Amino acid sequence: MRIPPRVLTVAGSDSGGGAGIQADLKTMLALGVHGMSVLTAVTAQNSRGVQGVWPLPAEAVRAQFRSVVDDIGVQAVKTGMLASAELVRTVADLLADVTAPVVVDPVGISKHGDALLAASALEAVRTRLLPAATVATPNLDEVAWLTGVQVASEADLRRAAEAVLAYGPRWVLVKGGHLSGDAVDLLTDGTEEHWLRSARLDNRHTHGTGCTLASAIASELAKGRTVTAAVTAAKEYITGAIAGGFPLGEGIGPVDHGWNLHRTG
């Protein structure tokens, strides 16, 4: 009997199903791993934005994590929305005992510009969470929030990556999706550099891209891939998911997490 690789997501809930825990678990299923979850916060969220955020107590987050890790075990962990400084510190302490690779998506704001992390959590993300990361996956807004480095062009991506690496992750994937031209990301550990390019897709329905990409990386790492191979495969997956993004509600719709399962030909 085949037992699939096990991946744990530590993140918030998106009631609209496009991002957060829901996106993570859909991605993991699509990529052939067993997804498990630690819920950090509940949000009221739809295609138009986030109407409310309710963080869970640190005790509840700790209990969920220990319940899964101590019994089932994990082969990769992904962190997303952590909501508060207390939860960032709690999760960082829990990750200290994990030997599996960790993908940190330093979620600060939603696609619609809504805050998903308290401003007081910045220092805890820098000094506690990022050092636990095998791969950190900030977008350009998150790079600016974490480091103060503003990225205006592809030429700035290397400087941005260096600034994030200074906080201790083994690898950083700086996502350049907000730049003009091709969708280009830089993966580096400070020694190796890998530039990942794809054509920019004309589709506004991109809700959940960051959560989905980070979960895809964690899924591929759980399968035993190297960081470079995992990120390359995840980039291919998210490109297909963005291409299949579809409208829901009156605002920004989600990417298609199951595009690779129902494609034809």
Side-chain angles (χ1 to χ4, degrees), residues 8 16 30 54 85 88 97 104 113 176 202 244:
L8 178 64
W54 296 270
V88 171
D97 296 328
V104 170
D202 184 19

Side-chain angles (χ1 to χ4, degrees), residues 5 24 66 99-100 104 131 147 177-178 188:
D24 297 341
R66 291 264 62 94
T99 58
V104 170
T147 71
H178 293 169
T188 180

Side-chain angles (χ1 to χ4, degrees), residues 80-106:
M81 174 190 176
L82 300 182
S84 69
E86 180 184 19
L87 289 183
V88 171
R89 290 191 293 267
T90 297
V91 171
D93 287 343
L94 291 166
L95 292 174
D97 296 328
V98 172
T99 58
V102 175
V103 180
V104 170
D105 185 18

Side-chain angles (χ1 to χ4, degrees), residues 12-84:
S13 168
D14 172 6
S15 54
I21 288 279
Q22 288 83 350
D24 297 341
L25 294 177
K26 291 175 186 178
T27 299
M28 293 169 190
L29 179 64
L31 295 178
V33 302
H34 177 68
M36 305 170 293
S37 61
V38 170
L39 192 65
T40 60
V42 174
T43 71
Q45 188 172 167
N46 56 27
S47 69
R48 293 176 292 177
V50 180
Q51 293 79 46
V53 177
W54 296 270
L56 268 67
E59 178 184 0
V61 171
R62 190 178 299 110
Q64 292 175 81
F65 189 97
R66 291 264 62 94
S67 179
V68 171
V69 173
D70 294 348
D71 175 48
I72 301 172
V74 294
Q75 287 163 300
V77 179
K78 175 259 179 179
T79 72
M81 174 190 176
L82 300 182
S84 69

Side-chain angles (χ1 to χ4, degrees), residues 160-231:
E162 290 171 351
V164 176
L165 284 171
Y167 289 111
R170 286 174 48 198
W171 291 80
V172 61
L173 177 68
V174 179
K175 300 177 292 189
H178 293 169
L179 296 175
S180 58
D182 287 347
V184 57
D185 307 322
L186 172 59
L187 173 68
T188 180
D189 64 352
T191 302
E192 295 181 37
E193 282 188 357
H194 303 273
W195 295 82
L196 304 168
R197 297 179 183 276
S198 62
R200 185 168 299 279
L201 302 169
D202 184 19
N203 188 352
R204 65 186 291 265
H205 300 298
T206 57
H207 183 50
T209 51
C211 305
T212 300
L213 177 61
S215 293
I217 295 170
S219 297
E220 297 298 340
L221 288 173
K223 297 175 185 177
R225 290 181 183 258
T226 65
V227 169
T228 303
V231 173

Side-chain angles (χ1 to χ4, degrees), residues 6 50 140 252:
R6 293 145 290 160
V50 180
L140 301 187
I252 300 172

